[in-house]
């Protein structure tokens, strides 16, 4: 039998954490032959709720679940961990500016980066879900100088999956028939869902849909999907966010079979996006690593949007520069 891998979830008693833990324990993320140890981290007021989550996990008698650790100490929660899913974050309070939110979350993600640096596996793969995810990932990365900076990523896979769903509905094809979807930039309203390189059943997507629909319907629908779900459900998306987090780590660990997926990763100058931000690019994953898809032609429409979302990330970076 394989050696168990350790998976840390922060904010594990929250909505997304609750959806994530059970799917990871059942083998959806790391494979149906891979035992796991769940290390669930929460803040002190949520420890009772977390105990309930752990009790339910025990009651599922998952064959792959070897142990459960519950803690409010990041040094314990990240000990020897192989995968860290940073979900817990401070929600935006009434009247709170984005800049204040960034600073408040810096107080969470800075110490978590340090705890990862001091206690996690040297190969730990980190996925930040808690918002503002890209900049939270940057703060964690900056506080973990001994770890590979490339292993700090943020989630745009839900945006990617939402874009697949919209294009599938419009073209009347199943989403598995779509290749080449891209989300560029920040996981925020400035994200740029790009279908210029997409094919549906082997046909170029831009030839299947009209530009008006793409610009005025598709792009805002993907960007605003989170708000539409809150309106319909009375609560923010949780199961779909957890599912996307599982897709992100599964593909990174087990490979994407040549398929492009979107991951927010440290920019390396690709497509003119200078270093210093965690920016969503199209990537392929193989052998536990990811690679940014290179050589795509970028037209003026795309360039404008890619720059806009980059500028927002640079402003966010500026707002937390003392934490980096
Ligand atoms: P959720 O589980 O619904 O959301 C958690 C985070 O994920 C939020 O920052 C949320 O951002 C973000 N998120 C990113 N993408 C999405 C998406 N597509 N849909 C919805 N959310 C998304 O929050 P809860 O309040 O239910 O739970 C948070 C938990 O975290 C609480 O139990 C709290 O105690 C805990 N916590 C733990 C910390 C720790 O472990 N140190 C620190 C802080 C909190 P947004 O707010 O923008 O929706």
């Amino acid at each position: 039998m394989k050696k168990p891998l350790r998976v840390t979830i922060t904010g594990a008693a929250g909505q997304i954490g609750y959806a994530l833990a059970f799917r990871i324990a059942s083998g959806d993320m790391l494979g149906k032959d891979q035992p796991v140890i769940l290390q669930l981290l929460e803040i002190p007021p949520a420890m009772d709720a977390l105990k309930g989550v752990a009790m339910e996990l025990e009651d599922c008698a998952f064959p792959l679940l070897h142990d459960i650790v519950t803690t409010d100490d990041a040094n314990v929660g990240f000990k020897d961990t192989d995968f860290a899913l940073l979900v817990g974050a401070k929600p935006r309070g009434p009247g709170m500016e984005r800049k204040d939110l960034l600073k408040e979350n810096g107080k969470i993600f800075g110490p978590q980066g340090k705890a990862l640096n001091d206690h996690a596996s040297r190969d730990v793969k980190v996925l930040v879900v808690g918002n503002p995810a890209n900049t939270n990932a940057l703060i964690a990365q900056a506080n973990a100088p001994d770890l590979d900076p490339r292993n700090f990523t943020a989630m745009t896979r839900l945006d990617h999956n939402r874009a697949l769903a919209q294009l599938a509905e419009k073209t009347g094809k199943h989403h598995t028939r779509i290749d080449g979807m891209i989300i560029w930039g920040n996981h925020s309203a400035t994200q740029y869902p790009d279908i210029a390189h997409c094919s549906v059943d082997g046909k170029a997507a831009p030839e299947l849909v009209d530009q008006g629909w793409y610009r005025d319907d598709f792009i805002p629908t993907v960007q605003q999907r989170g708000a539409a779900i809150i309106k319909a459900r009375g609560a923010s998306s949780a199961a779909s966010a957890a599912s996307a987090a599982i897709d992100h780590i599964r593909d990174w660990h087990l490979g994407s079979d040549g398929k492009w997926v979107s991951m927010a990763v440290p920019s390396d100058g690709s497509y003119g996006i200078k270093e210093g931000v965690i920016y969503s690019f199209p990537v392929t994953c193989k052998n536990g690593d990811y690679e940014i898809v290179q050589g795509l032609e970028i037209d003026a429409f795309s360039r404008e949007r890619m720059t806009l979302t980059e500028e927002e990330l640079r402003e966010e970076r500026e707002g937390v520069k003392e934490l980096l």
Side-chain angles (χ1 to χ4, degrees):
M1 191 202 283
K2 287 182 170 176
K3 183 171 161 273
L5 289 170
R6 293 175 181 271
V7 181
T8 302
I9 305 173
T10 75
Q15 282 207 91
I16 297 174
Y18 184 72
L20 257 179
F22 296 85
R23 290 198 52 199
I24 295 172
S26 74
D28 283 355
M29 186 169 84
L30 300 176
K32 297 287 181 191
D33 60 346
Q34 176 59 63
V36 291
I37 295 171
L38 283 178
Q39 307 192 159
L40 309 177
L41 181 65
E42 260 296 352
I43 48 177
M47 286 307 286
D48 276 345
L50 187 62
K51 189 169 167 227
V53 175
M55 287 159 71
E56 280 202 80
L57 281 163
E58 285 165 14
D59 294 350
C60 290
F62 287 119
L64 292 172
L65 185 57
H66 276 223
D67 198 6
I68 307 168
V69 175
T70 56
T71 181
D72 58 7
D73 179 350
N75 296 327
V76 175
F78 292 127
K79 180 105 186 74
D80 298 326
T81 200
D82 299 292
F83 299 92
L85 284 77
L86 309 188
V87 180
K90 192 161 177 130
R92 192 190 293 236
M96 207 175 185
E97 303 258 335
R98 193 173 176 87
K99 160 162 120 282
D100 304 324
L101 182 70
L102 280 163
K103 290 225 165 92
E104 282 302 311
N105 276 302
K107 291 185 201 151
I108 297 170
F109 288 86
Q112 289 189 350
K114 179 154 188 345
L116 281 162
N117 191 62
D118 295 347
H119 300 287
S121 152
R122 297 303 83 186
D123 299 318
V124 64
K125 289 179 163 61
V126 181
L127 167 63
V128 177
V129 175
N131 276 318
N134 301 51
T135 299
N136 288 340
L138 188 70
I139 294 168
Q141 180 203 52
N143 284 275
D146 303 333
L147 299 175
D148 184 348
R150 292 182 78 255
N151 281 359
F152 285 78
T153 68
M155 187 167 92
T156 48
R157 184 61 176 266
L158 181 56
D159 308 303
H160 181 103
N161 290 346
R162 286 170 171 169
L164 290 177
Q166 293 301 316
L167 186 59
E169 192 186 332
K170 179 72 177 172
T171 55
K173 304 283 180 189
H174 195 259
H175 51 81
T176 49
R177 308 300 302 166
I178 302 175
D179 282 310
M181 183 62 76
I182 306 175
I183 303 293
W184 300 99
N186 200 2
H187 170 68
S188 74
T190 67
Q191 64 173 270
Y192 170 44
D194 179 7
I195 65 163
H197 309 277
C198 249
S199 64
V200 184
D201 254 345
K203 295 195 186 90
E207 286 165 24
L208 297 175
V209 297
D210 69 81
Q211 276 295 305
W213 175 81
Y214 171 55
R215 289 177 193 212
D216 304 329
D217 197 334
F218 174 82
I219 294 178
T221 298
V222 174
Q223 288 171 333
Q224 304 299 333
R225 184 74 165 177
I229 287 171
I230 293 176
K231 192 158 171 254
R233 190 178 167 254
S236 61
S237 41
S240 55
S243 196
I246 283 171
D247 288 347
H248 177 117
I249 296 282
R250 187 200 55 229
D251 288 350
W252 188 1
H253 179 59
L254 297 172
S256 67
D257 277 336
K259 207 159 171 101
W260 300 4
V261 292
S262 299
M263 283 171 67
V265 302
S267 53
D268 63 356
S270 295
Y271 299 101
I273 311 298
K274 290 189 292 296
E275 288 181 23
V277 291
I278 307 274
Y279 189 97
S280 181
F281 290 96
V283 304
T284 54
C285 304
K286 204 173 159 185
N287 302 327
D289 200 1
Y290 62 82
E291 205 175 306
I292 296 173
V293 174
Q294 296 294 336
L296 301 176
E297 259 182 55
I298 305 295
D299 64 16
F301 178 82
S302 292
R303 176 54 67 192
E304 194 185 312
R305 276 153 190 78
M306 287 164 67
T307 302
L308 191 78
T309 188
E310 180 189 2
E311 280 168 357
E312 182 181 55
L313 283 168
R314 299 230 172 259
E315 270 168 39
E316 289 187 11
R317 184 191 161 94
E318 189 56 27
V320 298
K321 62 173 187 274
E322 67 278 15
L323 301 170
L324 303 177

